[in-house]
Amino acid sequence: RSGYTGVDVFFVISGFLISSIVFKSLVRDDFSFREFYSHRIKRIFPAMLLVLASCYAIGWFVLLPGEFMQLGKHLVAGIGFFQNFVLWKEVGYFDSAAELKPLLHLWSLSVEEQFYLLYPLIVWVAWRSGLNILTILVVLGLVSFGMNIEGVRRDATMAFFLPHTRFWELLAGGLIAYIYLFKHQETRQKLKRLVFHRLVLGNWYSDKDRDGILSNILSSIGFVMMVC
């Protein structure tokens, strides 16, 4: 139960990692779309092609003709990073069991790569134009989150697979990356003032101890949020 929470956490971590790379490149003024996508290809394709080739080879011997045809469709969708759309369209009464879809897990990679087709361009344009990236991330994240809430109400399967209802998780990681890189000390001081306010934990701890206590509190909050 709740195993899909791992996918949610993965999206946030992925958004944090890639956003950190993009932001640092922009600060150094050496960001390159060619280099960005080249690194993504080198990181993803070797392992993915091995998985696809292995599934094809095994499927040739163990799958029935109809199942093998479906595997072929999923191979193409996996390579093209639109597996999430294919799986969404397949959901229904006559859909195959999840155990018979060895490439089912590639839906999350598809969502991630669809996000990275748009995200670097948006951030790059905002950076070059002098726009407030923090505001843009918050607005886009809230819009995507609102679509997710409405999507779950109308069609939970659609909200699960489609990119626009998932982007808010990657944007949350991007938001954390921006705060960590550009607003870290400022945010930490504000949190300290809140946590060690006289009505909360008071002034019982030294400045040296407060950093460790704050880190433990934030870690505990993150853990509780994932469990709940």
Side-chain angles (χ1 to χ4, degrees):
R1 275 171 43 182
S2 302
Y4 286 114
T5 302
V7 179
D8 298 320
V9 175
F10 161 76
F11 280 146
V12 177
I13 293 175
S14 179
F16 175 85
L17 175 63
I18 298 300
S19 295
S20 298
I21 294 172
V22 172
F23 293 150
K24 289 176 180 178
S25 297
L26 290 172
V27 170
R28 295 193 305 263
D29 198 27
D30 63 357
F31 177 76
S32 165
F33 287 100
R34 180 178 180 179
E35 183 177 348
F36 174 82
Y37 290 115
S38 174
H39 285 172
R40 296 298 298 161
I41 291 171
K42 291 177 182 177
R43 186 175 183 83
I44 291 173
F45 268 78
M48 187 179 74
L49 290 176
L50 177 62
V51 170
L52 296 179
S54 300
C55 288
Y56 182 86
I58 296 172
W60 178 271
F61 294 102
V62 303
L63 295 180
L64 296 173
E67 296 167 348
F68 191 67
M69 288 180 62
Q70 184 183 64
L71 175 63
K73 181 171 65 173
H74 288 181
L75 286 168
V76 174
I79 294 174
F81 298 116
F82 56 90
Q83 177 78 316
N84 54 328
F85 288 99
V86 171
L87 293 171
W88 170 50
K89 289 295 184 180
E90 287 181 354
V91 172
Y93 183 79
F94 296 102
D95 187 20
S96 301
E99 306 87 73
L100 300 177
K101 296 181 178 181
L103 300 176
L104 176 67
H105 61 289
L106 291 183
W107 75 268
S108 59
L109 184 61
S110 296
V111 170
E112 184 187 19
E113 296 312 309
Q114 288 157 16
F115 178 77
Y116 293 129
L117 285 176
L118 300 173
Y119 180 68
L121 178 61
I122 293 173
V123 172
W124 180 80
V125 170
W127 185 275
R128 292 293 184 184
S129 304
L131 301 176
N132 190 315
I133 294 180
L134 184 62
T135 301
I136 291 174
L137 293 178
V138 170
V139 171
L140 291 177
L142 289 175
V143 170
S144 176
F145 183 68
M147 290 180 176
N148 177 272
I149 297 297
E150 180 64 16
V152 169
R153 187 181 68 83
R154 292 189 174 187
D155 186 343
T157 301
M158 178 195 72
F160 182 88
F161 282 119
L162 295 194
H164 62 281
T165 54
R166 285 286 189 171
F167 281 175
W168 68 272
E169 294 171 304
L170 291 139
L171 287 165
L175 179 63
I176 295 170
Y178 185 90
I179 293 173
Y180 182 77
L181 292 173
F182 303 113
K183 304 284 186 180
H184 183 249
Q185 292 301 325
E186 177 184 341
T187 303
R188 199 166 182 86
Q189 289 302 321
K190 289 180 179 178
L191 289 173
K192 278 185 181 180
R193 287 196 293 270
L194 176 63
V195 171
F196 298 101
H197 189 275
R198 61 186 180 86
L199 297 179
V200 187
L201 292 183
N203 297 315
W204 303 335
Y205 303 96
S206 65
D207 290 336
K208 182 179 179 180
D209 293 333
R210 290 183 180 187
D211 283 323
I213 293 171
L214 179 61
S215 295
N216 288 333
I217 291 174
L218 293 176
S219 299
S220 299
I221 292 173
F223 177 75
V224 170
M225 289 175 68
M226 285 191 291
V227 171
C228 295

